[in-house]
Amino acid sequence: MRSFRWTMRLSRLQAWIVVCTAMVVTIFADWATGPMVSMTIGYLFVDILAAWALRERAGIIVVLFSIGLGSTLNGFGAIPAADLHALSASVVIWNTVTRVAGAVMIVLMVATLRHTIDGELWRASTDYLTRSLNGGAFRSQLERVAQIGRRRGSTLLLLYMDLDGFKAVNDRHGHAAGDLVLRRFADEARARMRPDDLFARLGGDEFCAFLAIERGVPPEQVAESLHARLSEALRSTGHAVTCSMGAVVIDAGAAGDTERMIGLADEAMLEVKRNGKNAIRIAFDEPGTVRRAA
């Protein structure tokens, strides 16, 4: 299971590096052992790895390459202990075609399995309406982003957002209009996120984001800019919906209890709610430092 999880986390470049490395090792073993020792299992492993990590197209390319190269090293259509010169052209073609067909069928089954697993994982971790992370997936990935921040010496920024006036949209214009507001808000927020950032719908009209801010970039400025962009997106819906945002600036090296961090951001957001809504409060990860952003 650990091996499967590791391969599922590989980027496309990393997956190609692993596949090519496995292919080189298999080719060397095939060359070193000669045609009397079959390395079919080695080539098949590389084919399956390519299909699993890179999907069917790459898997088929690797199949064609591995069978072509293996046949070149050991004889096209050759059977161990058989006289290669006794094989007719039709037998050579048949043996090679069946190798390709068998490997391709395995590759397609493995790639289909990977697509199915990816789909189930996506459904388990994603809010269907907004295509954002759900609350469980958000919490499970907080430590990953914190680790990225620690490696880079970044500052962490946790945002808690609530939409003001959203219930009135549902009551007056129906849930379809409310769904449109949620999707527009989420689309704009995700467009402002980088690949390592997290954005989630916690439920109803509440959202969270977790970002690792590069050194030299004021996290307050990032939070204010995002609040302004999201406010513009809400205005574009034509409904009287605004955003109350609570932000917590966290030292990546001191990031600890994730629920406490979310609680601090929630408290900052509630402070906005109590003081007129449609604004942002920024807290630093110390008691008593909640303040209004400029």
Side-chain angles (χ1 to χ4, degrees):
M1 289 301 296
R2 288 182 180 179
S3 297
F4 279 114
R5 293 192 187 103
W6 174 72
T7 56
M8 293 177 73
R9 290 195 297 267
L10 294 174
S11 68
R12 191 164 184 83
L13 176 60
Q14 291 170 333
W16 271 115
I17 291 173
V18 171
V19 169
C20 291
T21 301
M23 177 65 76
V24 169
V25 171
T26 302
I27 292 170
F28 177 79
D30 196 11
W31 170 81
T33 56
M36 296 304 293
V37 178
S38 174
M39 288 301 298
T40 300
I41 189 64
Y43 288 113
L44 187 58
F45 170 78
V46 178
D47 298 339
I48 291 173
L49 180 60
W52 177 261
L54 296 163
R55 312 304 188 273
E56 59 271 17
R57 184 177 300 178
I60 292 173
I61 292 173
V62 172
V63 163
L64 297 176
F65 177 80
S66 62
I67 289 180
L69 187 60
S71 297
T72 301
L73 290 173
N74 300 300
F76 286 86
I79 303 171
D83 183 3
L84 179 59
H85 299 290
L87 298 176
S88 65
S90 59
V91 170
V92 170
I93 293 172
W94 172 257
N95 288 345
T96 303
V97 169
T98 54
R99 289 178 185 175
V100 172
V104 167
M105 284 190 289
I106 293 173
V107 160
L108 292 178
M109 287 189 289
V110 170
T112 299
L113 175 62
R114 178 61 192 272
H115 283 302
T116 301
I117 292 174
D118 286 345
E120 291 301 318
L121 289 174
W122 185 88
R123 281 186 284 274
S125 63
T126 305
D127 174 64
Y128 179 77
L129 176 63
T130 63
R131 300 297 193 268
S132 307
L133 292 175
N134 58 31
F138 178 79
R139 285 175 167 85
S140 69
Q141 295 187 43
L142 285 173
E143 180 56 29
R144 175 182 63 81
V145 176
Q147 288 178 353
I148 292 172
R150 283 191 284 270
R151 286 199 307 268
R152 297 175 179 173
S154 306
T155 301
L156 301 176
L157 180 64
L158 182 63
L159 306 172
Y160 201 110
M161 294 155 279
D162 182 87
L163 303 189
D164 313 312
F166 175 75
K167 185 177 182 300
V169 174
N170 278 337
D171 293 342
R172 296 173 186 172
H173 304 284
H175 289 283
D179 291 349
L180 179 64
V181 171
L182 292 176
R183 284 195 297 266
R184 182 72 186 90
F185 181 85
D187 289 347
E188 181 65 26
R190 286 200 312 275
R192 303 295 165 185
M193 301 287 146
R194 297 161 303 174
D196 291 329
D197 296 333
L198 302 179
F199 177 76
R201 181 189 181 197
L202 300 185
D205 59 351
E206 295 184 347
F207 297 84
C208 246
F210 195 45
L211 303 83
I213 309 300
E214 300 299 329
R215 282 180 291 185
V217 178
E220 303 96 323
Q221 185 178 26
V222 174
E224 292 163 9
S225 175
L226 182 60
H227 183 266
R229 295 285 187 177
L230 293 176
S231 297
E232 288 179 13
L234 290 173
R235 282 194 294 271
S236 71
T237 66
H239 299 290
V241 181
T242 58
C243 174
S244 293
M245 178 184 289
V248 180
V249 178
I250 307 158
D251 180 3
D257 185 356
T258 56
E259 289 301 322
R260 187 179 67 85
M261 293 190 296
I262 294 174
L264 283 174
D266 188 19
E267 288 175 14
M269 183 274 295
L270 291 174
E271 183 67 19
V272 174
K273 288 283 194 181
R274 289 191 289 266
N275 289 275
K277 305 180 181 181
N278 189 25
I280 178 174
R281 294 289 189 281
I282 298 179
F284 292 83
D285 193 12
E286 297 175 1
T289 58
V290 177
R291 66 175 177 81
R292 182 188 296 271

